[in-house]
Amino acid sequence: MTRNQRIAIELLGVIRKGTEIHVDYGCLDDMVSLWCYKNSDVNVVHIFNHTPEKQSICLFNECKAIIESQKSNAEITRNQKLAIKLMHEIKSGMDIVIRYDCYIDQAEFCHGFLSDQLDMIDIREYHINEQANNDFKKCLKIIEDVQKIGFGQPAFIF
């Protein structure tokens, strides 16, 4: 697991539903981003794989300050937990992006930006548990297929 993947997991664990924040992590470029929307302003923090350690710590602390400024008393959600679980399964170099959007409580899984086949799976707040679990299993299947086929190659789920 990379430094940025660990940062993404930690940020996913502290953001809360109802805030206008989302965190995404792209395996291919090993980059974590925190997006915060307030009124018509957008605050974006990117931590790249080549960002020096000292600067990464400063950017991580900036992300945590942004999160604290919009702190919510909401509990961690099912979809947030699923995004964190997926984050633990992926490997650097995979053509996969995982995003969790607090405002709409949605976990997003995207694979295949480098191919003609783009797999996108959204686990939404209103999905019943069975549907959410089935979508989560589809994501795990894609990750498994990517590991078998090789990174950067398309994995088909249908």
Side-chain angles (χ1 to χ4, degrees):
M1 184 176 299
T2 69
R3 172 192 69 193
N4 285 349
Q5 194 172 350
R6 286 190 300 277
I7 288 171
I9 290 168
E10 188 164 342
L11 292 175
L12 282 172
V14 295
I15 59 177
R16 290 293 182 259
K17 180 183 175 196
T19 59
E20 294 188 60
I21 296 174
H22 77 254
V23 170
D24 57 43
Y25 174 75
C27 299
L28 199 57
D29 53 3
D30 188 29
M31 183 178 82
V32 61
S33 300
L34 180 126
W35 301 73
C36 178
Y37 304 90
K38 195 161 191 158
N39 302 322
S40 61
D41 295 331
V42 179
N43 191 353
V44 183
V45 178
H46 299 295
I47 304 173
F48 300 95
N49 65 342
H50 60 273
T51 303
E53 183 77 24
K54 213 174 216 181
Q55 186 180 2
S56 290
I57 292 167
C58 290
L59 291 170
F60 174 72
N61 289 335
E62 182 180 338
C63 289
K64 288 186 79 167
I66 291 168
I67 292 166
E68 284 298 317
S69 74
Q70 288 205 15
K71 197 66 172 179
S72 163
N73 291 329
E75 296 293 318
I76 192 166
T77 70
R78 173 199 68 195
N79 295 343
Q80 194 172 352
K81 289 176 186 175
L82 292 176
I84 292 169
K85 286 180 182 179
L86 288 172
M87 198 68 77
H88 281 281
E89 297 297 322
I90 57 179
K91 305 278 187 278
S92 180
M94 291 180 165
D95 187 9
I96 292 174
V97 172
I98 295 175
R99 172 180 294 132
Y100 175 72
D101 186 328
C102 290
Y103 191 67
I104 57 175
D105 187 23
Q106 179 171 300
E108 301 170 9
F109 177 93
C110 302
H111 166 263
F113 292 101
L114 297 178
S115 70
D116 294 336
Q117 168 82 23
L118 182 63
D119 301 311
M120 296 183 70
I121 299 171
D122 295 336
I123 303 172
R124 300 174 187 263
E125 178 179 31
Y126 58 81
H127 287 174
I128 60 172
N129 285 337
E130 182 180 3
Q131 183 178 2
N133 288 332
N134 286 339
D135 287 341
F136 177 74
K137 288 176 186 174
K138 287 179 187 176
C139 296
L140 291 177
K141 176 72 171 113
I142 291 171
I143 293 169
E144 180 183 305
D145 289 349
V146 168
Q147 288 176 337
K148 287 179 190 171
I149 296 167
F151 295 179
Q153 301 298 317
F156 303 99
I157 60 172
F158 301 106

